Amino acid sequence: RSPQGAGSGDGSPSSAAAETPSSEDFSLSLLDTNLPAEAETELRSFIAKRLTKGALFEGMGNVASVGLSIPENKLGCYYCRFQQENLLEMATLESDMNAPEYVVCFLGGSEKEDTFRLELDKYIQSLKINLALEQKTLETYVNPYLKSWFENAICPIQRVVQLFQEKLAFLLHAALSYTPVEVKNADERTEKDISRFLAAASLQGLVQEETMTSLCIAMTEEQHKSMIIDCGGPQPQLHNAGSNRFCEDWMHAFLNGAEGGNPFLFQQILENFKLKAIQDINNLKRFIRQAEMNHYALFKCYMFLKNCGSGDILLKIVKVEHAEMPEARNVVTVLEEFMRE
């Protein structure tokens, strides 16, 4: 469409070199939408204003509330500006060249899309890479890919909860303890869903990277065998699986949330699960520091491990973290003996 004022559209040819395009140096043209015409025009206007302000950074999604002329009125909108990977390289080599850029918008019932912003960023990244590698056309690849955004980026956790039911506790335990997991006889989507759930439920990024690496090595050496999930039957069968009271309590929270069938609720429960695990780790570490000088604090450590429901995992994590600290290591050794007895 012809550029007028702030421009128009959902995909934007724009200067690759210009981080903050003004209304004169870009125009927006629509590639695909399933919005009614009036709402689509309002969305284009919203995106054009954001582009004019330079509020869209390449590859980084944003979430905002938008008012559109449709029954829902206020919607959560995830939007992300990107270039195809191969064109990005060409544009870097020739700074005077205008490479086309795109803005993708996903609309949902509320601003809760922010809960899944990182997942949606990865979804766009995958689109960029596939477009660059295979030069797929809009009709054959891009449209179907974009239309399945909710199913592929938002619903995997919900599907895993519905598939595993009470056995979800074993999956939570494996994620928290970094137990290696093998999936057998599953279709591609189920295998991806399980992998995504394990990654989302782990403490990756919340606990020091060195700790995670050491913990992975320790768990692999200790168990000699992975937890195996066989999806050959109507219900997954698990072998070499472990659990504890902490994971069982959280499994019930997921199953209670399943009644409403809201994928955003599952993500929130998962975040709360990880937050509680981190709080417990930090509390235990604080008690261990106190126990280096105080026998009563050592008893507090022991009682905490007994009552928290996740003592088996917490003890492994602090053992790895305190491996190079002699006094703390001695406390952990004593705690291990007590817990064994």
Side-chain angles (χ1 to χ4, degrees):
R1 305 189 183 205
S2 60
Q4 290 178 356
S8 56
D10 213 305
S12 65
S14 148
S15 164
E19 268 306 306
T20 56
S22 70
S23 58
E24 285 77 36
D25 62 14
F26 76 93
S27 66
L28 293 173
S29 53
L30 179 68
L31 289 181
D32 188 37
T33 186
N34 57 359
L35 276 177
E38 190 179 350
E40 181 260 311
T41 306
E42 290 162 348
L43 182 61
R44 276 191 286 124
S45 172
F46 167 79
I47 293 298
K49 282 174 189 165
R50 293 290 167 124
L51 280 167
T52 306
K53 289 176 184 172
L56 273 75
F57 295 99
E58 216 279 336
M60 285 174 58
N62 298 270
V63 175
S65 182
V66 294
L68 303 177
S69 302
I70 48 178
E72 291 86 350
N73 193 17
K74 281 277 182 188
L75 290 169
C77 175
Y78 166 90
Y79 54 98
C80 183
R81 168 187 152 207
F82 76 95
Q83 275 182 307
Q84 285 176 225
E85 292 283 300
N86 55 344
L87 292 175
L88 198 58
E89 289 165 19
M90 287 162 61
T92 310
L93 293 170
E94 301 178 37
S95 56
D96 59 338
M97 169 182 169
N98 283 343
E101 292 185 286
Y102 305 90
V103 179
V104 172
C105 302
F106 296 134
L107 292 170
S110 70
E111 280 189 69
K112 288 177 183 171
E113 274 72 19
D114 198 37
T115 317
F116 287 92
R117 190 166 46 80
L118 294 177
E119 283 81 1
L120 291 170
D121 282 352
K122 285 178 195 164
Y123 199 65
I124 299 297
Q125 190 63 30
S126 178
L127 175 69
K128 283 168 62 172
I129 292 164
N130 278 307
L131 278 176
L133 289 176
E134 303 184 32
Q135 292 296 300
K136 290 173 177 170
T137 65
L138 188 72
E139 292 75 19
T140 58
Y141 177 75
V142 179
N143 290 13
Y145 185 85
L146 294 179
K147 279 176 181 149
S148 60
W149 73 274
F150 193 82
E151 196 66 21
N152 290 340
I154 309 294
C155 294
I157 291 166
Q158 182 178 20
R159 286 197 293 268
V160 168
V161 173
Q162 289 166 344
L163 177 66
F164 280 82
Q165 299 291 317
E166 283 81 10
K167 292 176 182 173
L168 193 72
F170 300 112
L171 213 55
L172 290 169
H173 189 270
L176 214 52
S177 61
Y178 276 76
T179 302
V181 174
E182 278 180 46
V183 181
K184 294 183 175 178
N185 303 318
D187 58 69
E188 189 185 355
R189 187 173 85 164
T190 302
E191 196 165 340
K192 278 184 179 173
D193 284 353
I194 293 170
S195 171
R196 161 102 176 263
F197 185 92
L198 289 167
S202 78
L203 301 180
Q204 192 80 44
L206 299 176
V207 171
Q208 289 178 2
E209 200 59 47
E210 304 81 45
T211 302
M212 286 297 100
T213 307
S214 304
L215 193 59
C216 288
I217 294 166
M219 291 306 290
T220 308
E221 286 174 353
E222 181 182 309
Q223 299 190 353
H224 303 298
K225 48 192 172 185
S226 309
M227 177 174 116
I228 295 166
I229 301 171
D230 188 346
C231 296
Q235 271 276 307
Q237 297 302 310
L238 278 62
H239 309 281
N240 311 325
S243 186
N244 58 29
R245 198 175 74 247
F246 180 81
C247 294
E248 281 159 18
D249 289 345
W250 281 97
M251 172 268 292
H252 289 298
F254 276 102
L255 293 188
N256 292 338
E259 291 166 16
N262 182 346
F264 298 102
L265 178 61
F266 291 120
Q267 183 76 3
Q268 196 57 61
I269 295 170
L270 203 55
E271 292 304 321
N272 293 343
F273 164 78
K274 294 197 290 186
L275 184 64
K276 184 68 176 81
I278 288 291
Q279 284 173 343
D280 285 352
I281 291 168
N282 290 338
N283 282 331
L284 180 59
K285 288 200 282 196
R286 192 174 74 252
F287 289 145
I288 287 172
R289 281 198 301 273
Q290 293 167 359
E292 289 173 16
M293 300 163 283
N294 181 325
H295 283 127
Y296 177 67
L298 180 62
F299 180 70
K300 267 171 75 177
C301 269
Y302 167 63
M303 291 308 293
F304 177 77
L305 282 170
K306 254 187 80 162
N307 296 326
C308 72
S310 195
D312 57 330
I313 293 173
L314 297 188
L315 205 50
K316 286 183 180 115
I317 291 172
V318 294
K319 184 179 181 180
V320 165
E321 285 202 349
H322 294 97
E324 305 300 319
M325 306 174 195
E327 288 178 358
R329 195 173 66 229
N330 291 341
V331 172
V332 172
T333 305
V334 172
L335 288 170
E336 278 186 310
E337 287 172 14
F338 270 104
M339 292 298 280
R340 268 199 298 274
E341 288 171 18

